[in-house]
Amino acid sequence: MKEKKNIAVYPGTFDPPTYGHLDIIKRASSIFDKVIISISADSVKNTTFSIKEREEMLRVITRELKNVEVTSFKGLLVNFLKNKKSRIIIRGLRAVSDFEYEFQLALTNRKLDNSIETVFFIPDETYTYLSSSLVKEIIRLNGNIDKLVPPIVKFYLEKKLKKTLDNYN
Ligand code: COA
């Protein structure tokens, strides 16, 4: 009999991905047969990086993880899961403050499709305070982000930052 594979989807905006996201991805990839990182193309957030740029960053930082795939999706997350034959959503819980929002997301997704389960991972405590906006603010103010994002993400951030500064001159 063919063995059933556990495919999990890790959705998010990833603008940009940080070591906190990578921590969750590594934990998930050690448990599930396959992890599909899925960038939401319909995010209401005013994003700094294009989908292509975010995909590129995520691919580079996960290239050692053979069971991880990077893609993007439009529309409802539950429909994307169905297309990918997955029933598992992965989310990270950094602090109690994340709980209410995540609780709402998980229960709404369950209402939309009762077969879907959300699985939460807690990142290493080093990253519990971290967010993508915080990283962008630090780089804008010329702070050091070496411990917060992988080198490729730093490269992309500096490229964007340089453009912004050039616009001022
Ligand atoms: N490490 C570091 N930062 C983390 C993190 C971690 N482990 N986990 C979350 N974050 C940060 C992100 O950087 C982001 O920070 P920012 O707000 O400063 O940019 C913030 O926490 C939350 O972002 P993220 O995890 O990417 O979630 P999101 O709220 O942007 O994305 C979707 C939510 C995309 C999953 C959700 O909107 C969705 O499913 N959309 C599709 C449409 C749909 O189906 N809607 C109905 C859903 S009920």
Side-chain angles (χ1 to χ4, degrees):
M1 206 172 76
K2 213 174 151 206
E3 208 189 324
K4 211 171 141 216
K5 291 242 189 278
N6 271 324
I7 302 171
V9 169
Y10 182 27
T13 308
F14 305 106
D15 189 55
T18 66
Y19 275 134
H21 292 117
L22 188 57
D23 184 89
I24 301 288
I25 295 164
K26 283 182 179 164
R27 286 173 202 282
S29 84
S30 73
I31 288 182
F32 297 108
D33 296 312
K34 185 170 168 185
V35 175
I36 306 176
I37 307 172
S38 316
I39 304 164
S40 170
D42 283 333
S43 179
V44 287
K45 288 182 183 173
N46 197 358
T47 54
T48 306
F49 296 100
S50 69
I51 299 279
K52 216 170 141 245
E53 288 170 322
R54 283 177 273 161
E55 279 186 355
E56 163 76 9
M57 288 186 265
L58 282 162
R59 283 206 183 101
V60 170
I61 69 177
T62 60
R63 70 181 153 213
E64 245 114 76
L65 304 167
K66 298 299 170 217
N67 62 342
V68 171
E69 189 181 300
V70 179
T71 187
S72 60
F73 72 103
K74 273 185 182 278
L76 282 180
L77 179 60
V78 292
N79 292 341
F80 176 77
L81 264 91
K82 199 170 263 170
N83 284 340
K84 293 288 174 185
K85 299 193 172 18
S86 168
R87 297 178 48 228
I88 308 159
I89 298 173
I90 292 166
R91 294 292 288 168
L93 266 189
R94 290 163 300 170
V96 181
S97 50
D98 279 346
F99 182 77
E100 213 165 317
Y101 173 61
E102 293 300 334
F103 188 70
Q104 188 186 21
L105 269 191
L107 288 183
T108 310
N109 282 321
R110 182 182 286 168
K111 267 271 179 295
L112 293 170
D113 184 337
N114 197 33
S115 69
I116 284 172
E117 294 295 342
T118 303
V119 177
F120 294 99
F121 284 86
I122 297 174
D124 189 287
E125 65 261 32
T126 329
Y127 308 122
T128 47
Y129 62 92
L130 194 53
S131 77
S132 303
S133 334
L134 204 68
V135 168
K136 285 187 273 191
E137 186 174 323
I138 296 170
I139 194 108
R140 262 186 220 116
L141 300 171
N142 278 326
N144 189 319
I145 53 164
D146 288 354
K147 292 199 170 113
L148 310 180
V149 297
I152 178 84
V153 177
K154 184 182 175 192
F155 171 79
Y156 269 83
L157 279 163
E158 284 179 344
K159 218 164 69 171
K160 284 270 162 163
L161 176 83
K162 177 126 193 356
K163 249 190 219 160
T164 316
L165 288 175
D166 284 349
N167 287 344
Y168 273 106
N169 294 330

